[in-house]
Amino acid sequence: MDAEVGIIGVGTMGSMAAWQLAKRDISVIGFEQFGIGHDRSAAGGESRLFRTAYMEGPEYVPLLFQAKKLWRKLEEESGNSLLFLNGGLMIGEADSPEIKTILNSIQEFRLAHEILPKEKAEQKFPQFKFFKDDLVILDKEAGFIRPELAVVSATNLAVKYGATIMPYTKVEKIIPEENGVRIFAGGKWFKVAKVVIATGAWTAKLLPEIKDLLIPRRLVLTWFIPKNIEATKPDKLPVFARLRGDFRLTGVPTLDGTMVKASYTKNPEVISDPESLSRDVYSEEIEKLRESVKQLFPVVYPDPVRASVYMDAYTPDHHALLGYLPNWKNVVFASGFSGHGFKLAPIIGEIITELLIDGKTKYNIKHLDPLRFVNSFLS
């Protein structure tokens, strides 16, 4: 055996799994086809939202509580500041499904929050345009994460604890066997006892049989110049999700003192092959965003001055695949986080570690179990 655990994809989830496995004296070898902290998948863009009043479902809230603790643990061990809690505004029509789910999360777990009447919201957060049918919710346990720094921090800790990490080493093939898994990468064969597949939007290149369950989507992130820099600093502008009709604008305050990141994040474009991803952004893509920013977020000039393209893998129900694959007893899968996984990364790393060591996890991840798509796996 070259290691007890092989990790394919040392990105968002793979880095966190490597850190926690190596810390528990499990021998790890990690394969990454690009560099550590690269921008070729889902971890780029300088910031990711951390939310607890969760529009994707209250079943995530207990995981988010533990994720917050583990973010602080990663900060402590690495010496890097990664999670900044400056609050989060969730703004949308009161009868929208997302707002109703956020309220369910708040009520079920008694989350620290404030519901702001329109007049108070306008006074406290003049950066936004509010409508009479909006419900304005301040999630007091929300904020932002520095994603590239987080991946690099977790990976370097894994190496410190004994892991072997192989960047720029593409895995071409995996062969599960009765007593382990063989991996062909970088022109060589490796043998490990168990494997973690955390390859995100690139998964169908490795496992084409599940391409219908993990659909790569193109994420365009955009940055704008504020009309008032002071009003967009973290002490004045919370992270936000601005919902209106079929539009969803999510963003963070200025982190560099010049630009605000605000991006359209609903129903991103499907791409057929991650290797042919267009990283150019065209004017027609910006038009709808421009008009919505002008209407809903008037604190910035509506023409973005920067745009970057990334990817993530989406499942049909927008919940990840996390757990053992049917008929592959030595393979744990962690992919398909559908654009909302980064905030959960350290708890996903802990769950992967438990699954590999104990064969089970103490956390409720029924909604993420690959077996919910068992017919697709077995077809």
Side-chain angles (χ1 to χ4, degrees):
M1 291 287 178
D2 293 286
E4 293 173 84
V5 175
I7 298 177
I8 304 174
V10 188
T12 301
M13 305 306 172
S15 65
M16 300 294 166
W19 161 46
Q20 296 185 61
L21 284 162
K23 187 178 176 181
R24 292 180 63 168
D25 294 324
I26 303 297
S27 61
V28 171
I29 183 168
F31 303 91
E32 172 52 57
Q33 66 174 326
F34 304 113
I36 302 304
H38 65 81
D39 65 351
R40 301 296 302 277
S41 198
E46 300 174 6
S47 61
R48 287 291 183 274
L49 270 60
F50 183 86
R51 302 176 278 116
T52 56
Y54 214 56
M55 70 178 72
E56 290 81 1
E59 61 269 31
Y60 286 95
V61 176
L63 299 178
L64 289 162
F65 287 162
Q66 183 63 13
K68 178 185 171 184
K69 295 178 182 178
L70 290 171
W71 280 118
R72 296 307 185 204
K73 189 65 177 174
L74 181 57
E75 288 180 320
E76 177 187 333
E77 292 184 28
S78 68
N80 294 325
S81 296
L82 303 170
L83 172 63
F84 304 81
L85 297 179
N86 67 321
L89 274 183
M90 309 293 128
I91 310 166
E93 294 133 311
D95 61 352
S96 69
E98 294 93 341
I99 293 295
K100 289 180 178 178
T101 304
I102 289 170
L103 291 174
N104 287 340
S105 297
I106 288 171
Q107 292 163 4
E108 183 172 346
F109 294 97
R110 299 182 180 180
L111 301 178
H113 75 287
E114 184 179 358
I115 295 178
L116 303 173
K118 181 174 180 289
E119 296 76 15
K120 186 174 181 180
E122 289 173 333
Q123 181 181 15
K124 191 170 183 178
F125 299 110
Q127 302 93 333
F128 298 92
K129 167 71 174 178
F130 298 98
F131 296 84
K132 64 180 181 180
D133 59 347
D134 280 335
L135 189 66
V136 183
I137 304 168
L138 179 62
D139 176 357
K140 296 186 177 182
E141 289 292 317
F144 59 92
I145 305 159
R146 304 308 296 260
E148 298 95 338
L149 181 58
V151 170
V152 171
S153 297
T155 304
N156 285 338
L157 282 171
V159 172
K160 175 183 174 182
Y161 295 139
T164 297
I165 303 297
M166 300 179 64
Y168 305 103
T169 305
K170 185 176 181 179
V171 172
E172 304 283 352
K173 187 181 296 185
I174 61 171
I175 302 177
E177 298 177 333
E178 183 62 28
N179 63 342
V181 182
R182 287 196 296 146
I183 300 169
F184 187 69
K188 299 178 181 179
W189 282 102
F190 299 83
K191 181 70 177 288
V192 297
K194 294 185 178 182
V195 157
V196 178
I197 298 177
T199 43
W202 298 87
T203 303
K205 304 292 290 186
L206 185 63
L207 301 174
E209 60 267 33
I210 61 171
K211 63 181 176 61
D212 293 336
L213 293 182
L214 290 170
I215 301 168
R217 289 181 177 266
R218 183 173 180 268
L219 305 173
V220 180
L221 305 184
T222 45
W223 286 259
F224 298 81
I225 297 294
K227 298 174 183 176
N228 180 348
I229 293 288
E230 290 300 318
T232 61
K233 290 183 176 178
D235 61 335
K236 298 288 179 61
L237 178 65
V239 304
F240 60 88
R242 184 63 177 95
L243 316 173
R244 189 76 188 167
D246 64 349
F247 185 80
R248 180 188 297 171
L249 186 74
T250 59
V252 300
T254 180
L255 304 183
D256 66 352
T258 65
M259 291 181 286
V260 172
K261 179 181 169 186
S263 306
Y264 176 69
T265 57
K266 194 169 185 178
N267 299 322
E269 175 192 358
V270 172
I271 58 176
S272 59
D273 185 343
E275 291 187 354
S276 62
L277 172 71
S278 172
R279 297 174 71 85
D280 293 328
V281 180
Y282 304 101
S283 57
E284 53 267 28
E285 293 184 278
I286 300 299
E287 289 181 3
K288 182 178 180 180
L289 171 65
R290 183 185 189 278
E291 292 306 310
S292 295
V293 166
K294 184 188 295 186
Q295 180 184 35
L296 300 175
F297 193 47
V299 74
V300 299
Y301 295 103
D303 294 302
V305 295
R306 175 185 165 195
S308 299
V309 175
Y310 304 92
M311 292 182 292
D312 202 357
Y314 283 65
T315 64
D317 62 7
H318 289 195
H319 300 294
L321 302 179
L322 178 61
Y324 282 97
L325 294 180
N327 300 329
W328 288 18
K329 68 176 184 177
N330 296 320
V331 177
V332 169
F333 204 74
S335 195
F337 287 86
S338 304
H340 64 101
F342 202 94
K343 63 186 74 63
L344 294 160
I347 182 60
I348 301 303
E350 181 179 349
I351 290 169
I352 291 169
T353 299
E354 291 182 346
L355 290 171
L356 290 169
I357 294 175
D358 305 322
K360 60 183 180 180
T361 177
K362 59 181 173 289
Y363 298 101
N364 179 9
I365 57 167
K366 185 177 180 180
H367 59 296
L368 307 177
D369 190 342
L371 288 175
R372 71 187 190 277
F373 294 119
V374 65
N375 291 335
S376 297
F377 283 110
L378 299 179
S379 61

